[in-house]
Amino acid sequence: MGKPETPKASAIKTFSEWLFTTYNGERIRQQEDDQNYYDDKFDVRILAPFHVVRTGSASRIVDNIVGHIETANPQVFRKSRRQTEKERDSNLKVGIFLNNLAKHIIPEIVEATWNLNLRGEAVYQIDFNRDAYKKQGEDYTYTGTEMPVIITAPDPLIVCCFPYDALIPEKTVKQFTLDSAVAQSLFPDLKLPDTEGKRDVNYLAYYESL
């Protein structure tokens, strides 16, 4: 089986536009409405002589729920497939590794918990941490000095998956804007046009599961 062909940039942009505006459009609109309620900026259509009193109740409700969820001490377990001593020892070692990993991503767990309560869903992104490995030819050896992967909890508003309800989707697009200076620091080889002052850059990342 040969290496799958990489889609062209124009095809990725077309697919991304369809994914955000049509396939996930209604979901994004509903989440944007939820954000307006959280920020207490929703339109109530009240006319003079009456006036609006903004109480911020929605944000307090969401934040209080998140605050009452235990996120400071995550516990990870692996269910045994076979009831043998070797399997139990393996589960213990995997559990120790995963629990140590979980303690390093508590901010991301808190962010995902907040997204789940406000957005109605949460997304975890797992990336290969190249700095944690030493390259030897075509192989990478884990050094043990850093986390083997980088785990983040991006806002579901900037992430669209296809199919939507898959644990590991076939295709995923993440898009947002960021400051040109930040983009240049993240991608030193990026060629940006000379402009005066700050400039936003449209960032689009496309992922496929193999």
Side-chain angles (χ1 to χ4, degrees):
M1 183 178 178
K3 183 179 179 181
E5 184 178 351
T6 303
K8 294 182 179 179
S10 58
I12 291 175
K13 290 181 179 179
T14 300
F15 176 72
S16 173
E17 183 178 352
W18 172 80
L19 201 59
F20 274 83
T21 60
T22 302
Y23 188 71
N24 284 268
E26 183 59 30
R27 185 264 297 178
I28 291 175
R29 284 188 289 273
Q30 290 179 2
Q31 291 177 343
E32 288 175 341
D33 286 344
D34 291 339
Q35 184 67 54
N36 286 333
Y37 278 96
Y38 181 86
D39 295 333
D40 209 352
K41 295 180 178 178
F42 57 94
D43 184 14
V44 291
R45 302 182 184 276
I46 292 180
L47 304 176
F50 303 100
H51 64 280
V52 178
V53 177
R54 299 289 182 178
T55 64
S57 298
S59 62
R60 289 197 299 274
I61 291 172
V62 173
D63 294 345
N64 284 339
I65 292 173
V66 174
H68 281 80
I69 297 175
E70 175 59 66
T71 56
N73 187 32
Q75 299 293 314
V76 185
F77 304 94
R78 188 178 76 168
K79 186 178 180 180
S80 297
R81 290 171 294 180
R82 296 180 298 275
Q83 297 301 321
T84 63
E85 184 176 352
K86 183 178 180 180
E87 182 75 6
R88 287 192 291 271
D89 289 342
S90 175
N91 287 343
L92 179 61
K93 293 177 181 179
V94 171
I96 292 173
F97 170 75
L98 292 177
N99 278 287
N100 185 55
L101 186 68
K103 291 178 182 178
H104 285 81
I105 61 167
I106 288 178
E108 287 72 26
I109 293 174
V110 173
E111 182 69 19
T113 304
W114 188 87
N115 287 335
L116 188 61
N117 281 273
L118 178 60
R119 306 277 188 248
E121 62 181 343
V123 178
Y124 281 109
Q125 180 176 346
I126 304 175
D127 291 304
F128 174 67
N129 185 6
R130 189 180 299 272
D131 295 335
Y133 296 81
K134 182 179 180 181
K135 188 174 183 181
Q136 296 175 329
E138 296 297 322
D139 298 324
Y140 288 89
T141 302
Y142 180 52
T143 62
T145 57
E146 298 184 43
M147 288 180 59
V149 293
I150 300 173
I151 301 177
T152 55
D155 189 337
L157 276 174
I158 67 170
V159 178
C160 283
C161 305
F162 180 86
Y164 173 73
D165 56 353
L167 180 62
I168 302 178
E170 296 175 11
K171 300 177 181 180
T172 304
V173 174
K174 182 169 70 171
Q175 66 176 20
F176 55 91
T177 59
L178 71 164
D179 183 81
S180 58
V182 176
Q184 198 72 68
S185 65
L186 293 173
F187 310 101
D189 297 331
L190 184 65
K191 304 295 183 182
L192 294 175
D194 294 330
T195 56
E196 296 182 1
K198 293 186 176 181
R199 177 176 180 270
D200 286 337
V201 176
N202 292 324
Y203 175 90
L204 189 152
Y206 174 79
Y207 308 87
E208 281 189 3
S209 60
L210 300 178

